[in-house]
Every structure is written in structure tokens, then in C-alpha cells.
Amino acid sequence: MLKKISLLLLIAVAVNLSALAQKTKKFKVIAFYTGVNDQAHVSYVHEANTWFPKMAEKYNFSYDSTSNWSNLNAEFLAKYQVVLFLDTRPDQPEQRGAFETYMKNGGAWMGFHFSAFALTPSAYPQNWDWYHNEFLGSGQYGSNTWRPTSAILRTISNHPVTKNLPETFKSQPNEWYRWEKDLRKNPNIDILLTVDSTSFPLGTGPKAYEIWQSGFYPVAWSNKNYNMVYVNMGHNDMDYEHKYGKTTTSLSHTFENETQNQFIINSLLWLGSGKNNLKK
């Protein structure tokens, strides 16, 4: 009888340890960035590379970052469950091909702000149809608000990453983007957050077209065919005019907002959990 009880206890302990190990299993995140052009984007990248390691320790994942885009290859990506694009996108055909294959094979991705930018003609032309038209669904950049200001954002989806978010919340200051394509017309796109109508007028100018008076503006979404979340945030307000000193310092910080941070970490944990794996 004692042997039977001991065996049952051992089985119970083994099951509990297995469940605990599964619960605390780490996933690996790799963030790609450029961090050399717009000072607002550089400020954000530095901030992200400080904030994400703290979140990694708190939520039990690992975080690496690299500015070497040649690492965007099959061998390197195989080490990671989630890829982040903090500011830009790959430009070389072999890098783009490796990323597309990674995503089509069930990889996970989260992109911020300028990582979705494309405009022909510009230094970042729209010459990657799969990424901008199919994957993101947004097409080219349309316009933006200026200067960076906070907005009231509205949660419009019951997606797992919006769990426990309030119906509306105030964001950190940001430069908000308008896109070429209407994401509401794309059945593959699940819009997560939009600019709420109470935000208008949004922006301070000085040019009139830099101030939005009305409209529908998605600022975060997912594509149902891929493990991905795009977030428009990632542009800090900067003292370009040197009103407060001789250097161009940050006037705002993306990760100093509890609700916005919760949305970002919800998205990352969902992507890293493996529960969102798609049936291919």
C-alpha cells in the first residue's frame, strides 16, 4: 500500500514539475534595428533596448538585439521564436526572402512605427509587395501628424492581446501615420487599436495638413494569416528647436505609459507563447 502511495506521489510531483517547466519555458526574441537616421527613432531604439531586457527578466523570455541586418538569414532566425523590427526593414533581397520564409513557416513578428514605412520615391521606396501589401496590408505611407502628440486610443478588437485593456486610453506622444490602403476592407486584418474621435484635432502643425481633424486611423493591427502585430508607436518627441538646451534631447518616452506598455507586452507574450501557431 505504501509503495502504491509513494508511486502516486512521484507521478504527481513529476506532472507538477512538467507543468511548471512548460509554464516557465522561455522563448527567444531578436530585435533588428538601424538606429542612425531620425533622432526621434534613434531615441526610441535606445529606449527599447533598455526596456525590453527588463521585461524579459520579468516575464521570462530572452532578448537579443542587432543592427546587423545580414543576420536576417535562416540559420540565425532558427534560434528565435519572435523577431522585432524596431525602426526599419530589410532591403537586401536575400534578407527579405529569409524573413518571408520565416513568417510563412510559423515564425512570429512584431514591428514598430517606421518599420512599416514605404514611399516611392524616397530612401525607403515601396518595392516589397509581399511585406507592405500582403503581410502588413497597409501599402505605402500616406501622411502623418506633426508634431508628436498624445492621442486617445480606442480598443476595437477582442483579440487576446487587447485582454484587460480599457475601452479607451491615452497614449504617449507619437507621430501618427496614415496609410494608402483602408485596412477595414481587408478580411485578413484584425484592427486592434485606432485613434479615438475625441483625439481630434490631432497634431499641432505648423502646417494645416499635419493636423488631423477627423477620420479613421488604425494604429495597431494583426494579420490573421501570420503570427504578427504591428504597432504605430515608436517616435519620441524631440527638442529639435533646442528650446531646453544645446542638444537635441528627448521630450517624451514611448515606454512611460502603463496601459500602452501592457498592450505591447501582451502582444509579445502572445507571439512568444506558441498558442497562436497557425495551421498551414
Side-chain angles (χ1 to χ4, degrees):
M1 184 66 178
L2 287 175
K3 288 183 178 180
K4 186 175 181 180
I5 293 174
S6 298
L7 181 60
L8 290 172
L9 286 172
L10 286 172
I11 292 173
V13 169
V15 169
N16 287 334
L17 287 175
S18 177
L20 180 62
Q22 184 66 30
K23 184 177 180 181
T24 60
K25 183 179 180 181
K26 284 190 175 184
F27 61 92
K28 296 182 178 180
V29 177
I30 179 64
F32 288 85
Y33 66 93
T34 301
V36 296
N37 294 319
D38 192 317
Q39 289 169 298
H41 300 165
V42 174
S43 170
Y44 162 74
V45 166
H46 287 318
E47 187 185 353
N49 280 330
T50 299
W51 186 78
F52 278 113
K54 294 177 182 177
M55 295 302 102
E57 183 176 351
K58 181 176 181 180
Y59 291 101
N60 196 44
F61 61 90
S62 70
Y63 179 82
D64 297 325
S65 62
T66 179
S67 59
N68 183 2
W69 286 87
S70 65
N71 283 327
L72 202 63
N73 60 70
E75 183 179 0
F76 187 82
L77 292 177
K79 304 173 186 177
Y80 297 95
Q81 286 72 55
V82 184
V83 172
L84 307 186
F85 288 176
L86 294 181
D87 55 353
T88 53
R89 60 176 195 188
D91 286 322
Q92 297 303 314
E94 61 273 17
Q95 297 166 5
R96 291 179 172 185
F99 178 68
E100 182 176 345
T101 298
Y102 174 81
M103 292 308 303
K104 288 182 175 179
N105 287 336
W109 174 87
M110 190 173 184
F112 295 86
H113 193 61
F114 197 72
S115 67
F117 182 91
L119 180 63
T120 302
S122 78
Y124 298 89
Q126 200 307 82
N127 56 7
W128 192 7
D129 285 342
W130 172 81
Y131 181 76
H132 292 287
N133 292 329
E134 179 185 329
F135 181 66
L136 285 165
S138 51
Q140 293 197 84
Y141 156 91
S143 65
N144 62 275
T145 60
W146 195 258
R147 67 179 304 125
T149 52
S150 298
I152 303 300
L153 302 183
R154 177 169 291 275
T155 305
I156 65 167
S157 172
N158 60 359
H159 193 284
V161 304
T162 59
K163 184 179 180 181
N164 298 326
L165 290 184
E167 186 175 351
T168 60
F169 64 93
K170 187 176 182 180
S171 75
Q172 287 300 94
N174 191 55
E175 174 196 39
W176 304 102
Y177 285 158
R178 177 180 67 84
W179 303 100
E180 174 189 22
K181 296 182 182 297
D182 186 344
L183 293 173
R184 292 172 293 183
K185 297 179 180 179
N186 188 332
N188 296 323
I189 298 299
D190 190 350
I191 300 173
L192 307 172
L193 303 175
T194 64
V195 173
D196 188 66
S197 59
T198 57
S199 296
F200 301 125
L202 183 60
T204 60
K207 299 172 183 176
Y209 64 80
E210 297 170 331
I211 306 173
W212 292 350
Q213 302 293 338
S214 62
F216 182 84
Y217 302 100
V219 298
W221 63 85
S222 183
N223 187 321
K224 298 172 185 176
N225 292 328
Y226 298 95
N227 300 324
M228 63 84 78
V229 175
Y230 170 73
V231 181
N232 192 202
M233 289 75 97
H235 183 114
N236 292 336
D237 191 15
M238 307 296 293
D239 185 15
Y240 290 113
E241 299 81 9
H242 297 167
K243 292 181 179 180
Y244 306 101
K246 295 182 179 180
T247 59
T248 306
T249 55
S250 303
L251 299 178
S252 69
H253 298 89
T254 297
F255 296 103
E256 289 187 351
N257 183 302
E258 183 176 347
T259 305
Q260 183 173 291
N261 288 354
Q262 189 60 59
F263 170 72
I264 292 170
I265 200 65
N266 282 356
S267 299
L268 187 57
L269 294 177
W270 176 73
L271 291 168
S273 69
K275 294 179 181 179
N276 56 314
N277 287 337
L278 301 166
K279 294 181 180 179
K280 300 296 182 181

